[in-house]
Structures are given as structure tokens and as C-alpha cells.
Amino acid sequence: MGSANNQGICWWFLAQFTRYSLTLFLSAVMFADAVAAIPKNQGLQIEQQTTQQDTTRAAAERLFQEGMQFYQQGTAESLRQAIGKYQAALKLWQKLDEQSQEAETLNQIGLVYDDLGETQEVLKYYNQALPILLAVEDRTGEATTLNNIGKVYLSLGEREEALKHFNQALLISRAVGDKKVEALTLNYLGVVYNSLEEQQEALKYYNQALPILRAVEDREQEASTLKNISLVYAALGEKQAAIKYLNQALSIGLAVEDKRIEARTLNDIGFVYASLGEPQEALKYFDQALPILRAVGEKRREATILHNIGGIHKSLGEQEEALKYYNQALSIRRAVGDRKGEILTLSNMASLEYRRGNLQPAQTHIQAAIEIIEDLRAKITNAELRDAYSASVRGYYEFNTYLLMELQKKDL
């Protein structure tokens, strides 16, 4: 635009020069002086603005990184501190009108709230990120956020809503050619259909994901997909097929020499063996995974393994051993703020105590689980989401009512 204006001025001078040479000369000098003066003042102002923006941007980046550090610590307290840092960074990104960073920070806040089990907050931040990603035409980010939202709905048992978001993400990832996101979305769709007991439909999606993951050399997700396929075959009662895919998953974990992948795969294999009704074989894999997870510092997964080991001992009738592992899992889950995991472990402890004939300890554990449920539900202001959450946890209330009735009978 600037060059076009200058060209117009030059032609005007040439056309008028012969008639108004002196006037034009004086005007030209005055115009030149004026032009020279404006950039000088504006340049200083722009320089000051640029310096201020650079300072603000540096502060936003520092706050975001501090948030990441708190998030990686993985304790209940550090997760809250992470949120504070991210929210401070968010205000600065909004001030700078840097929308891509704003959306990234919103997604990160949603992720932290997901770890804390606060469903309403999770969806609030993901849904704020989505229109921004649309505005900046970040289709990959849009698909990833849709997947994140779908996972939240899946955790609430809202499978239709989950499918809607996963299918949107699949269309976008295919449109932009992002193979990794496409494969991940296919996996999520497989999980939904497996939960609906539509195993053949689940296999269709997993088998679409597998060659893509191999092509892009995402070994971690490939191992996860193989584990998911094994779960389908286990549900179908096809033990040998399930074991075949498990062994493929384990070979990947060992081949890449990534201890995290190895430990996660060992846990997944143990889980599948447990679902196949082979507790001793499951225990063997859980016991291999536990020291690796402790070595790499993955506390949440360590708690999951401890919980799983407790479940195996419970199935074997080894109640004291089961309680020992449940208590270890519970302690870690409380420390890292895994409230949903805490509910699960408390309910299993309640079930174990009931089987031992200890009604009061059983009721105490299930009541503690319900108190967490009530706290989480109170933070859901959306009526539809609150109803969905209530439906997903109804069994805990029914078990508590039954225990209270049994305790009343005992007192009669």
C-alpha cells in the first residue's frame, strides 16, 4: 500500500511541475520534512510498544513453563499451583492477542483439571479453546481438543456425545492429513465401541489405526492399540488371539528401550490376563511393572498398579495382602490429587471388608467415596452434566444404602 501511494505522489509532481515549480518545490520540502518527522516520533513509540510486548511475552512464556514444572511434579498441591501459573499466563496471552498460545494454555488448564477430576472445569476450558483454534485455523489443534472433550464425555458414560466429538475429530484429522491424530482418534472410537460391547466395530477402528501408527513410527501408540485389540479378543473369549497381541505390544516396549512404555505395557498385559481369569499370570506382569514405574517416578500409574495388585489378591481371597496394596494405592492417589482413582480404591476396600463380614469398615469406606463424589458433583453447575455424572456413580449409593440396611438389621 505504501509503495502505491508514493508512486501516485511522484506522478502528480511530474504533471504539475512546469506550472507550479516554485510552489511545488516549497511544498515538497515541507512535505518531506513532515514525512521525516512522523516516522521519527512513531518509530520511538513503536520501539517502546515492541519492548513492552517482548517483556509481556517473555513473562507469559515464563509463567507457562513454571506451570509445566508444577504440573510435572504431580501432587495435588502442585496441580493447583500449575493452574495459577497457567491462568496468569493466559491473561498475558490475551493481552498480547496471541491466540494460538491462548488456546494452548486453555487446553493445558483443562488437562490439569482433568487430573483433578473436576469435569465441569475441564469442559469449560476445552470449550473456550475450541473457537479460538477455529479462528486461527489450527485444524490439528481443533481435532485434538475435540478428542479431549470426547474423552470427558466417555468418562461420564455419555457415549453418544463422545462419539460425536470423536467423529468430528476424525474428519478434521483426515482432511488436514495429520496421521498421528487420525490414528489416536480411531483408537478412541474403538474404545467407545468396545464399551458398547460392539467388539467387531471396535476391531474395525483399531485395525485402521494400527497400520497408520506403524507408518508414522509411533511405537507407544502402536503398543497401546495392540493392547486394546487384545482386550477385544479377551472379551470375545479368544484367549490365544488376545495373548498374541499382548506379546506384540510387549516386544515394542522392550525394543524401544523406553522404561515408561515398557511399564505401561506390562500393566496392560496384566490387566488383560486378569480379564481372562488368570490372576497369577496377571500378578506376574503387575509385579514386573511396579519397580519400573517407581524408578521413573510415575506416581499415578504406580497407584494404578498397586490398586490392580490389590484386586488380584482380593480375587485370590488374600484379603490382608489386598488391603495392604489398596492402602498404598490410596495414599498415593490422595497425594497426587487423583480423586476419581481414590473413589475406585475406597469402593474396592469397602467391597473387600463386606466380604470379610466387616460391615462398619465397609460402610466407612464407601461413605468416604461418596463424600468425594458429592464434592465433585457440587462443582458441576451444568444440570445435564450433573445428571450424567450422577448416573455414572449410582452404584456407589446403592451399595451404601445396602450396607446401612445391613447395619440396622445387625443392631436389632
Side-chain angles (χ1 to χ4, degrees):
M1 181 69 71
S3 60
N5 288 340
N6 290 337
Q7 188 178 17
I9 290 169
C10 291
W11 282 112
W12 187 85
F13 278 139
L14 289 171
Q16 303 295 324
F17 185 75
T18 54
R19 289 182 59 194
Y20 304 106
S21 57
L22 181 58
T23 304
L24 278 174
F25 176 75
L26 293 173
S27 298
V29 170
M30 290 169 63
F31 182 78
D33 286 345
V35 170
I38 291 170
K40 185 176 180 181
N41 293 335
Q42 285 182 343
L44 180 61
Q45 187 177 12
I46 291 168
E47 185 179 346
Q48 289 172 341
Q49 288 175 348
T50 302
T51 302
Q52 186 178 10
Q53 286 177 341
D54 289 344
T55 302
T56 304
R57 186 175 295 105
E61 289 170 350
R62 185 185 69 252
L63 286 163
F64 187 87
Q65 289 304 316
E66 288 172 357
M68 286 293 291
Q69 289 167 6
F70 279 122
Y71 176 65
Q72 288 164 1
Q73 289 176 27
T75 67
E77 181 183 357
S78 71
L79 291 176
R80 295 291 177 189
Q81 291 173 311
I83 289 170
K85 294 291 184 179
Y86 288 140
Q87 287 177 334
L90 182 64
K91 290 178 181 177
L92 296 182
W93 293 129
Q94 289 168 338
K95 182 179 179 181
L96 290 164
D97 195 28
E98 297 202 4
Q99 292 183 301
S100 293
Q101 287 82 358
E102 181 185 352
E104 181 185 3
T105 307
L106 287 164
N107 262 314
Q108 196 65 29
I109 295 171
L111 183 63
V112 181
Y113 274 119
D114 196 21
D115 281 355
L116 291 168
E118 297 185 22
T119 304
Q120 176 90 25
E121 292 298 300
V122 179
L123 287 175
K124 182 180 87 172
Y125 283 97
Y126 287 157
N127 282 319
Q128 285 181 53
L130 203 53
I132 298 171
L133 292 162
L134 280 164
V136 299
E137 298 182 354
D138 182 353
R139 304 306 305 280
T140 295
E142 182 187 348
T144 300
T145 305
L146 285 164
N147 276 336
N148 289 341
I149 294 170
K151 286 190 292 180
V152 176
Y153 281 114
L154 182 58
S155 72
L156 291 169
E158 294 284 280
R159 294 181 181 90
E160 289 302 320
E161 199 65 27
L163 282 173
K164 183 181 82 175
H165 285 85
F166 291 145
N167 280 317
Q168 288 178 35
L170 185 62
L171 287 172
I172 294 168
S173 62
R174 283 175 168 169
V176 299
D178 192 314
K179 293 297 184 180
K180 284 195 174 186
V181 176
E182 179 187 352
L184 191 61
T185 309
L186 288 165
N187 249 311
Y188 291 142
L189 286 162
V191 171
V192 177
Y193 282 109
N194 197 35
S195 72
L196 290 167
E197 298 185 359
E198 296 183 28
Q199 277 82 23
Q200 294 304 324
E201 194 70 9
L203 281 175
K204 183 184 83 175
Y205 285 104
Y206 291 145
N207 285 321
Q208 288 180 61
L210 203 54
I212 297 172
L213 291 165
R214 286 170 175 161
V216 299
E217 298 182 351
D218 189 337
R219 304 308 302 281
E220 182 176 358
Q221 285 302 321
E222 182 186 350
S224 179
T225 305
L226 289 164
K227 182 268 298 184
N228 287 340
I229 293 172
S230 73
L231 281 171
V232 173
Y233 282 115
L236 292 170
E238 298 183 29
K239 177 180 173 181
Q240 291 307 314
I243 291 171
K244 181 186 79 172
Y245 284 100
L246 287 177
N247 287 331
Q248 289 180 40
L250 183 58
S251 67
I252 291 172
L254 295 170
V256 298
E257 297 182 354
D258 185 320
K259 290 298 182 183
R260 287 177 172 82
I261 296 176
E262 181 184 350
R264 293 169 189 175
T265 307
L266 287 165
N267 173 64
D268 292 341
I269 292 171
F271 184 83
V272 175
Y273 271 113
S275 71
L276 288 168
E278 298 191 27
Q280 293 294 353
E281 197 68 15
L283 193 60
K284 182 178 79 174
Y285 286 98
F286 290 146
D287 284 340
Q288 289 179 60
L290 186 58
I292 300 173
L293 284 170
R294 284 174 170 163
V296 299
E298 290 204 343
K299 304 299 289 182
R300 283 178 174 252
R301 292 183 184 273
E302 179 187 346
T304 298
I305 292 280
L306 289 164
H307 177 94
N308 290 343
I309 293 173
I312 295 296
H313 286 295
K314 178 185 171 186
S315 72
L316 293 170
E318 299 168 0
Q319 296 161 342
E320 289 299 330
E321 197 70 5
L323 273 178
K324 182 182 82 173
Y325 282 99
Y326 282 146
N327 278 313
Q328 289 179 49
L330 188 63
S331 177
I332 294 173
R333 283 177 159 166
R334 284 173 172 165
V336 301
D338 183 1
R339 308 201 76 194
K340 288 183 178 179
E342 191 178 343
I343 292 167
L344 188 60
T345 301
L346 283 165
S347 68
N348 277 21
M349 293 171 76
S351 173
L352 188 150
E353 291 290 8
Y354 169 70
R355 287 170 60 176
R356 299 172 77 187
N358 299 330
L359 295 179
Q360 189 57 64
Q363 198 278 322
T364 299
H365 289 314
I366 202 65
Q367 183 61 44
I370 287 173
E371 286 173 5
I372 300 170
I373 289 168
E374 291 291 332
D375 184 52
L376 293 176
R377 186 169 61 178
K379 293 174 180 175
I380 303 175
T381 55
N382 181 284
E384 188 176 339
L385 285 176
R386 189 168 57 249
D387 289 344
Y389 181 69
S390 297
S392 72
V393 295
R394 186 179 296 121
Y396 297 101
Y397 288 90
E398 292 172 351
F399 186 34
N400 187 46
T401 300
Y402 173 77
L403 289 173
L404 289 170
M405 290 172 63
E406 290 297 303
L407 283 167
Q408 286 177 351
K409 289 178 186 177
K410 190 176 179 181
D411 291 339
L412 292 176

